[in-house]
């Protein structure tokens, strides 16, 4: 992956970035990212979208793959950045519209709705390897919100069966209590704070001289 | 580095004229250094007698001024040039050319002995003045002429003296303000041209637009690739990125600057070109690239690399806007506060020209609006003086944006965004919709960005309401909150997750790269859910009085000193 990234980054330097001859190579790179779950290069993808923008190319298939890959990088706002470079016409394409809906569900953290939608558009994401698991990584937001949660809700949010839950618990260090699961102890980190002003000597020193 | 186009050797006709109390007699050949023939400009068609009349109508003060101007450029007297550029030119404009534009370059040429370098720079000022007086009414030909003049200037700077065989840096020295204005105006005219073309194409079927439409379809001036090429070439030739990296780590930039980069003209143009690229990327909606361009510019700490204030303001405005669109609200707020404080503190209007003053106060207002949007979406404490100005200018709008009524809030967000956003552009020139009609493509570009922004705001519509409830309690049960908000428990869970998600953004921590940063949660109002209880943590900031007192004491001491030094009035 690293060598490929270095190779592609040559194409993105300076004015070379706008060279339409690079389009084919960048499209191949997107396919490569789709096949490897851990491969993701936001810069190359944005550059490709820009080349599409500059040369009035409408390639819904490629755009779909780029958008789905950027969903796997949530909570970073990569998807929004991509949206800013895709023109209205392409955005109204049926495939893209469904991807936009998926994004909307994720951004509002409506996980149940999201998994339902995903079921309905199974074939749309089939060629993105490891898509489901990458989305489950986003469910990390549960980590920062909840201290405890019961098993069934957690399974629902992650869309996994009860027996798979143990595997995910190990990954995130969640502990099994009797009725519920301890996610993260927030007692210490989230506390009411009082910010009091501290006057240090340096700022008052100037006054002393008067 | 690629030259924009190959300009053939400048060919000039001989020029000789004799003043003979009213009857002037001279030959004049039009310089043919342009790769493409400019369409006949109205001026060239006039008879020679007309030209003589205009030349003889130039007041002696104007002639004197132009000769002096030329001398300063030749002798590289930077100090005097600065005075001429910042005040002299405007004074002459106000005194002699209030109603119309300065005389055309060909008219001025005989006075300065056809000094081509001076004429290039003169034309730059001429067109800039023309744009400021009657920007909207300019036709394609005039815009194109200005474009070719810029090509000449940049070609000269990048390729070097026409006479020498290898390319060497030119021996020109101009005040930094002028260099910034060249880049700024270059991009501004590119924007204006795009908007104009877009308007014409949208109305291409109207009869009065046909000739303009025809002309615009053929021309290749002001195309996006050449503009990008200019900026990238300036950046490359000056090695400005390498210089900045070394400068940031405390080293000596001259070690990496190369032949061109060590000359102030190139170094400054390189830096200004970086800011130009930042601006251009924002206009095309590529916010990631916009911040990336500033990779080596340390704009997050308060140091300033350049003293041209307009450049600073532009940098922070576009950087802040890019951060806003990337949902990095904390970074956006910090950028805006930095520059608004800077503007407040320097206070004097540092722009000499009228149109630049209005531009500066407009961008000031725009930034307050953007700051208001950011603070509604991500409340956090900011500097008191900026806050008080903000309340004054946008207090009403802030209240509306926080309204429970989703419709009202949404309308207000849209209005603020429309006022404060940059004038977006689209890189393609012609666009026909499904009905076969031409579309105003710049309008489309704006609509796209607005739509992305609105979708983001809509996803967060319920968050301010949740925040207002959470502020009132230290702990609350989920059922109670669901009751207040009138939503189901299931939905509430998602809303709370959404709240945490939206407020957990990347924030720049340290170093020069603007894109880097750690994920940090909003500090003001935080919570976590334990079973069915929400535990809320608020941040109370006690009122800071020390800073205020210290400042006032210093001011008072200064006043006291001034009074002591005044002579006592004699009775």
């Amino acid at each position: 992956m690293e060598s490929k990234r270095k190779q592609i980054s040559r194409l993105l330097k300076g004015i070379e970035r706008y060279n339409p001859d690079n389009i084919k190579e960048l499209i191949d790179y997107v396919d490569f990212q789709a096949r490897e779950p851990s491969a993701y290069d936001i810069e190359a993808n944005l550059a490709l979208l820009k080349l599409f923008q500059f040369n009035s190319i409408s390639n819904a298939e490629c755009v779909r793959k780029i958008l789905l890959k950027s969903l796997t990088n949530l909570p970073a706002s990569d998807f929004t950045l991509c949206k800013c470079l895709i023109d209205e016409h392409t955005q109204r394409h049926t495939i893209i519209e469904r991807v936009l809906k998926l994004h909307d569900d994720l951004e509002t953290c409506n996980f149940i709705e999201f998994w339902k939608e995903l079921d309905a558009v199974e074939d749309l994401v089939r060629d993105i390897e490891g898509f489901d698991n990458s989305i489950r990584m986003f469910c990390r937001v549960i980590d920062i919100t909840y201290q405890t949660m019961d098993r069934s809700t957690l399974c629902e949010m992650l869309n996994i069966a009860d027996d798979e839950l143990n595997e995910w618990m190990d990954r995130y260090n969640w502990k099994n209590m009797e009725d519920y699961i301890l996610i993260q102890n927030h007692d210490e980190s989230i506390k009411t704070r009082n910010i009091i002003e501290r006057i240090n000597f340096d700022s008052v020193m100037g006054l002393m001289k008067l | 580095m690629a030259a924009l186009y190959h300009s053939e050797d400048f060919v000039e006709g001989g020029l000789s004229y004799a003043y003979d109390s009213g009857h002037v007699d001279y030959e004049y050949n039009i310089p043919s250094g342009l790769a493409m023939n400019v369409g006949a400009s109205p001026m060239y068609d006039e008879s020679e007698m007309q030209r003589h009349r205009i030349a003889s109508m130039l007041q002696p003060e104007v002639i004197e001024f132009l000769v002096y101007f030329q001398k300063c450029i030749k002798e590289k007297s930077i100090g005097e040039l600065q005075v001429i550029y910042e005040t002299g030119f405007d004074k002459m404009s106000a005194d002699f050319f209030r109603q119309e534009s300065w005389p055309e370059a060909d008219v001025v040429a005989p006075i300065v002995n056809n000094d081509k370098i001076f004429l290039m720079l003169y034309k730059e000022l001429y067109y800039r003045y023309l744009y400021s007086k009657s920007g909207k009414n300019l036709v394609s030909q005039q815009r194109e002429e200005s474009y070719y003049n810029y090509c000449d200037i940049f070609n000269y700077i990048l390729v070097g003296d026409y006479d020498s065989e290898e390319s060497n840096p030119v021996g020109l020295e101009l005040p930094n303000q002028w260099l910034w204005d060249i880049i700024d105006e270059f991009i501004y005219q590119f924007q204006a041209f795009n908007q104009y073309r877009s308007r014409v194409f949208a109305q291409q079927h109207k009869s009065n637009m046909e000739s303009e439409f025809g002309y615009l379809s053929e021309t290749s001036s002001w195309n996006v690739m050449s503009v990008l090429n200019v900026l990238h070439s300036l950046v490359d030739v000056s090695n400005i990125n390498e210089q900045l990296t070394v400068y940031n780590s405390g080293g000596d930039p001259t070690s990496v600057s190369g032949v061109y980069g060590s000359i102030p003209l190139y170094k400054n143009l390189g830096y200004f070109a970086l800011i130009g690229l930042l601006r251009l990327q924002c206009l095309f909606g590529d916010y990631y690239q916009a911040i990336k361009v500033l990779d080596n510019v340390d704009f997050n700490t308060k140091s300033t690399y350049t003293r041209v204030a307009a450049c600073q303001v532009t940098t922070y405005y576009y950087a802040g806007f890019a951060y806003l669109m990337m949902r990095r609200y904390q970074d956006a707020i910090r950028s805006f506060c930095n520059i608004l404080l800077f503007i407040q503190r320097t206070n004097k209007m540092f722009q000499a020209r009228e149109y630049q003053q209005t531009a500066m106060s407009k961008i000031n207002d725009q930034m307050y609006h953007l700051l208001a949007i950011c603070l509604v979406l991500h409340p956090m404490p900011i500097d008191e003086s900026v806050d008080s100005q903000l309340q004054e200018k946008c207090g009403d709008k802030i209240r509306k944006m926080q309204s429970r009524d989703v419709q009202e809030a949404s309308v207000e967000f849209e209005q603020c965004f429309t006022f404060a956003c940059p004038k977006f552009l689209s890189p393609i020139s012609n666009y026909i919709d499904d009905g076969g009609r031409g579309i105003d493509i710049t309008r489309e570009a704006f609509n796209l960005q607005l739509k992305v922004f609105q979708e983001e705001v809509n996803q967060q519509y319920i968050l301010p309401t949740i925040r207002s409830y959470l502020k009132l309690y230290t702990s609350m049960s989920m059922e109670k909150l669901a009751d207040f908000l009138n939503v189901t428990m299931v939905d509430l869970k998602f809303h709370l997750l959404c709240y945490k998600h939206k407020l957990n953004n990347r924030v720049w921590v340290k170093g020069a790269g603007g894109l880097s940063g750690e994920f940090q949660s909003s500090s003001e109002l935080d919570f976590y859910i334990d079973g069915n209880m929400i535990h809320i943590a608020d941040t109370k900031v006690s009122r800071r009085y020390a800073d205020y007192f210290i400042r006032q004491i210093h001011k008072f001491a200064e006043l006291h000193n001034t009074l002591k030094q005044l002579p006592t009035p004699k009775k």
Side-chain angles (χ1 to χ4, degrees):
Chain A
M1 172 66 202
E2 271 317 302
S3 56
K4 199 119 178 88
R5 191 191 282 264
K6 274 212 189 78
Q7 189 191 351
I8 297 287
S9 70
R10 264 186 309 109
L11 298 178
L12 305 176
K13 275 202 158 49
I15 197 81
E16 188 55 27
R17 170 181 277 271
Y18 303 97
N19 188 349
D21 295 332
N22 292 335
I23 291 184
K24 173 134 192 342
E25 204 173 330
L26 288 170
I27 294 187
D28 288 339
Y29 190 43
V30 171
D31 286 331
F32 172 74
Q33 291 177 56
R35 288 193 301 273
E36 301 287 316
S38 54
Y40 178 64
D41 192 344
I42 180 68
E43 253 197 79
N45 294 348
L46 285 174
L48 182 57
L49 285 176
K50 200 164 181 144
L51 282 169
F52 285 162
Q53 189 194 28
F54 272 50
N55 296 292
S56 285
I57 299 178
S58 187
N59 186 340
E61 268 305 299
C62 194
V63 169
R64 169 186 68 87
K65 290 191 203 141
I66 294 181
L67 288 177
L68 287 173
K69 262 318 245 195
S70 62
L71 277 184
T72 64
N73 202 32
L74 279 169
S77 54
D78 292 351
F79 193 95
T80 320
L81 288 175
C82 293
K83 254 207 292 193
C84 290
L85 290 174
I86 303 174
D87 63 274
E88 255 318 284
H89 184 77
T90 318
Q91 284 198 29
R92 267 181 279 173
H93 206 280
T94 23
I95 310 180
I96 306 295
E97 263 185 355
R98 308 212 70 166
V99 179
L100 292 178
K101 176 79 178 45
L102 286 177
H103 174 244
D104 209 40
D105 289 332
L106 277 181
E107 283 285 342
T108 47
C109 294
N110 200 341
F111 294 123
I112 300 194
E113 186 66 34
F114 171 76
W115 294 116
K116 248 199 293 187
E117 272 285 324
L118 196 60
D119 265 338
V121 295
E122 188 66 56
D123 46 335
L124 223 57
V125 304
R126 196 172 306 152
D127 52 355
I128 309 285
E129 284 295 320
F131 183 72
D132 285 8
N133 279 339
S134 319
I135 299 298
R136 292 199 182 95
M137 307 273 268
F138 171 54
C139 298
R140 200 167 59 84
V141 73
I142 300 178
D143 232 18
I144 51 177
T145 316
Y146 283 87
Q147 183 159 306
T148 56
M149 199 196 274
D150 57 40
R151 285 190 83 99
S152 52
T153 327
L154 201 51
C155 286
E156 223 176 40
M157 293 221 185
L158 292 174
N159 199 34
I160 47 181
D162 198 81
D163 41 4
E164 290 174 31
L165 186 57
N166 288 324
E167 184 195 320
W168 286 87
M169 278 171 53
D170 288 330
R171 202 183 284 207
Y172 285 127
N173 226 356
W174 297 338
K175 296 197 190 21
N176 201 350
M177 305 283 160
E178 285 136 25
D179 324 324
Y180 55 87
I181 303 193
L182 179 68
I183 297 183
Q184 174 97 247
N185 198 334
H186 290 290
D187 274 341
E188 285 311 310
S189 45
I190 301 186
K191 260 205 297 218
T192 311
R193 283 187 297 161
N194 259 323
I195 300 187
I196 318 174
E197 183 184 21
R198 274 216 217 118
I199 309 172
N200 53 15
F201 189 68
D202 297 326
S203 33
V204 191
M205 208 161 59
L207 296 180
M208 305 292 196
K209 295 190 200 147
L210 289 173
Chain B
M1 75 213 151
L4 287 166
Y5 62 92
H6 288 298
S7 67
E8 290 110 29
D9 292 7
F10 242 75
V11 169
E12 279 186 9
L15 194 83
S16 62
Y17 72 107
Y19 253 126
D20 189 9
S21 61
H23 175 74
V24 187
D25 176 9
Y26 71 90
E27 308 164 54
Y28 186 57
N29 278 343
I30 300 167
S32 64
L34 307 172
M36 241 191 180
N37 258 331
V38 181
S41 135
M43 195 61 185
Y44 295 161
D45 281 334
E46 287 185 41
S47 66
E48 285 192 21
M49 285 303 286
Q50 179 87 335
R51 242 177 286 153
H52 299 331
R53 261 204 301 279
I54 295 172
S56 61
M57 266 176 7
L58 282 180
Q59 278 91 338
E61 291 102 330
V62 176
I63 299 182
E64 199 183 307
F65 172 76
L66 290 170
V67 171
Y68 173 60
F69 197 175
Q70 181 194 21
K71 186 160 98 80
C72 289
I73 291 186
K74 254 203 166 62
E75 293 174 1
K76 305 182 195 174
S77 28
I78 279 283
E80 292 173 31
L81 263 183
Q82 202 145 357
V83 173
I84 295 182
Y85 181 71
E86 287 179 19
T87 45
F89 190 81
D90 298 321
K91 192 168 170 313
M92 299 300 287
S93 309
D95 289 342
F96 296 100
F97 301 107
R98 203 178 268 279
Q99 298 305 330
E100 73 270 349
S101 62
W102 280 72
E104 284 224 357
D106 345 312
V107 173
V108 164
I111 305 172
V112 292
N113 293 326
N114 285 346
D115 178 351
K116 39 190 185 188
I117 297 167
F118 176 77
L119 285 174
M120 269 190 328
L121 297 170
Y122 173 79
K123 276 209 260 190
E124 201 267 317
L125 294 173
Y126 163 79
Y127 280 111
R128 205 177 330 149
Y129 190 69
L130 201 62
Y131 264 88
S132 74
K133 282 261 157 239
S134 52
K136 289 222 168 23
N137 301 331
L138 290 177
V139 291
S140 333
Q141 279 151 329
Q142 289 164 306
R143 297 173 193 264
E144 200 176 48
E145 277 163 27
S146 177
Y147 169 73
Y148 284 124
N149 189 47
Y150 275 116
C151 289
D152 286 341
I153 295 181
F154 288 123
N155 245 352
Y156 173 64
I157 293 178
L158 289 168
V159 176
D161 282 316
Y162 294 114
D163 309 325
S164 63
E165 293 204 335
E166 337 141 337
S167 63
N168 273 322
V170 298
L172 191 61
E173 272 182 41
L174 294 176
N176 286 346
Q177 180 70 44
W178 196 344
L179 293 175
W180 163 252
D181 285 337
I182 289 181
I183 304 266
D184 196 35
E185 184 72 15
F186 183 56
I187 300 182
Y188 168 71
Q189 290 191 10
F190 171 64
Q191 249 180 309
F193 183 80
N194 259 301
Q195 286 168 331
Y196 175 71
R197 180 171 55 184
S198 172
R199 261 198 331 266
V200 169
F201 274 34
Q203 304 173 341
Q204 58 190 256
H205 302 298
K206 287 205 184 133
S207 54
N208 59 340
M209 287 292 187
E210 263 178 29
S211 65
E212 279 294 290
F213 174 68
Y215 189 85
L216 285 171
S217 311
E218 301 293 303
T219 186
S220 71
S221 57
W222 289 120
N223 71 77
V224 62
M225 290 310 295
S226 358
V227 175
L228 283 166
N229 205 358
V230 166
L231 295 174
H232 276 284
S233 307
L234 285 172
V235 168
D236 288 336
V237 85
S238 63
N239 287 329
I240 188 67
N241 276 318
E242 289 80 3
Q243 287 197 46
L244 284 170
T245 329
V246 173
Y247 176 78
N248 283 334
S249 55
D252 181 18
T254 44
S255 54
V256 289
S257 57
V259 173
Y260 282 79
S262 44
I263 301 175
L265 180 91
Y266 289 91
K267 185 162 94 154
N268 285 310
L269 275 178
Y271 183 79
F272 296 144
L274 277 182
I275 309 300
L277 277 170
L278 158 72
R279 176 175 169 186
L280 213 53
Q281 303 293 10
C282 273
L283 295 177
F284 286 129
D286 194 350
Y287 305 110
Y288 185 89
Q289 200 55 29
I291 303 281
K292 184 108 209 304
V293 150
L294 292 183
D295 233 1
N296 297 310
V297 178
D298 197 359
F299 64 98
N300 281 311
T301 54
K302 289 198 178 129
S303 63
T304 51
Y305 189 74
T306 169
R307 273 194 234 114
V308 178
C311 176
Q312 288 288 94
V313 173
T314 309
T315 313
Y316 282 93
Y317 169 72
Y318 283 100
F321 186 79
Y323 276 137
L324 168 68
M325 293 303 279
M326 286 168 77
R327 213 172 63 218
R328 291 174 65 153
Y329 300 123
Q330 239 167 305
D331 290 326
I333 291 173
R334 195 189 47 246
S335 302
F336 291 132
C337 282
N338 267 345
I339 195 63
L340 287 169
L341 210 56
F342 172 74
I343 296 180
Q344 256 185 16
R345 295 234 168 107
T346 50
N347 214 16
K348 57 177 167 61
M349 272 309 170
F350 26 64
Q351 297 300 319
R353 302 209 167 88
E354 205 183 289
Y355 73 88
Q356 283 171 330
Q357 275 187 9
T358 27
M360 185 60 63
S361 83
K362 172 143 199 243
I363 217 178
N364 195 28
D365 281 341
Q366 284 175 312
M367 286 198 283
Y368 274 111
H369 279 72
L370 289 175
L371 185 59
I373 293 179
C374 290
L375 284 173
V376 169
L377 294 172
H378 187 116
M380 66 183 257
I382 57 172
D383 184 276
E384 215 175 295
S385 38
V386 178
D387 197 22
S388 60
Q389 271 277 14
L390 178 72
Q391 291 305 324
E392 216 181 282
K393 285 189 197 264
C394 306
D396 214 17
K397 300 188 195 284
I398 295 180
R399 267 188 298 281
K400 286 205 197 133
M401 285 194 276
Q402 288 173 327
S403 144
R404 299 284 166 78
D405 178 359
V406 178
Q407 188 62 17
E408 187 187 358
S410 163
V411 163
E412 195 58 43
F413 268 115
E414 185 178 326
Q415 279 182 352
C416 283
F417 184 84
T418 313
F419 173 71
C421 69
K423 300 252 179 323
F424 296 110
L425 294 177
S426 165
I428 53 180
S429 50
N430 202 358
Y431 195 83
I432 306 285
D433 76 352
D434 307 315
R437 291 173 307 222
I439 291 189
D440 186 343
I441 196 73
T442 42
R443 187 96 208 140
E444 282 300 304
F446 164 72
N447 283 337
L448 174 64
Q449 303 300 323
L450 177 64
K451 181 160 150 278
V452 174
F453 174 71
Q454 275 177 325
E455 280 167 6
E456 184 66 42
V457 167
N458 286 338
Q459 285 164 355
Q460 304 186 29
Y461 79 94
I462 201 166
L463 302 186
T465 321
I466 297 184
R467 191 176 296 126
S468 58
Y469 282 121
L470 289 180
K471 244 186 156 42
L472 302 170
Y473 293 83
T474 43
S475 64
M476 191 201 273
S477 70
M478 300 262 280
E479 285 95 8
K480 200 167 179 181
L481 189 56
D483 214 20
F484 279 145
L485 295 172
N486 219 0
V487 296
T488 64
M489 278 292 281
V490 176
D491 280 344
L492 178 65
K493 289 205 186 110
F494 298 134
H495 287 320
L496 290 174
L497 278 171
C498 182
Y499 182 99
K500 281 294 233 170
H501 161 59
K502 288 295 183 187
L503 262 55
N504 192 29
N505 295 312
R506 229 182 219 154
V507 179
W508 171 87
V509 177
K510 65 180 186 318
L515 279 172
S516 67
E518 303 168 354
F519 275 97
Q520 277 183 20
S521 199
S522 147
S523 55
E524 232 204 27
L525 188 68
D526 215 347
F527 67 87
Y528 66 90
I529 305 178
D530 188 5
N532 243 355
M533 284 300 281
I534 310 174
H535 296 266
I536 300 153
D538 199 359
T539 313
K540 291 195 200 357
V541 182
S542 67
R543 206 181 149 80
R544 301 183 57 203
Y545 57 88
D547 196 35
Y548 180 73
F549 267 98
I550 291 174
R551 253 188 288 140
Q552 296 300 324
I553 292 178
H554 279 296
K555 260 198 197 158
F556 196 68
E558 226 178 274
L559 186 62
H560 189 239
N561 280 334
T562 324
L563 284 174
K564 268 205 291 197
Q565 288 170 7
L566 286 177
T568 43
K570 294 203 168 59
K571 283 262 159 77

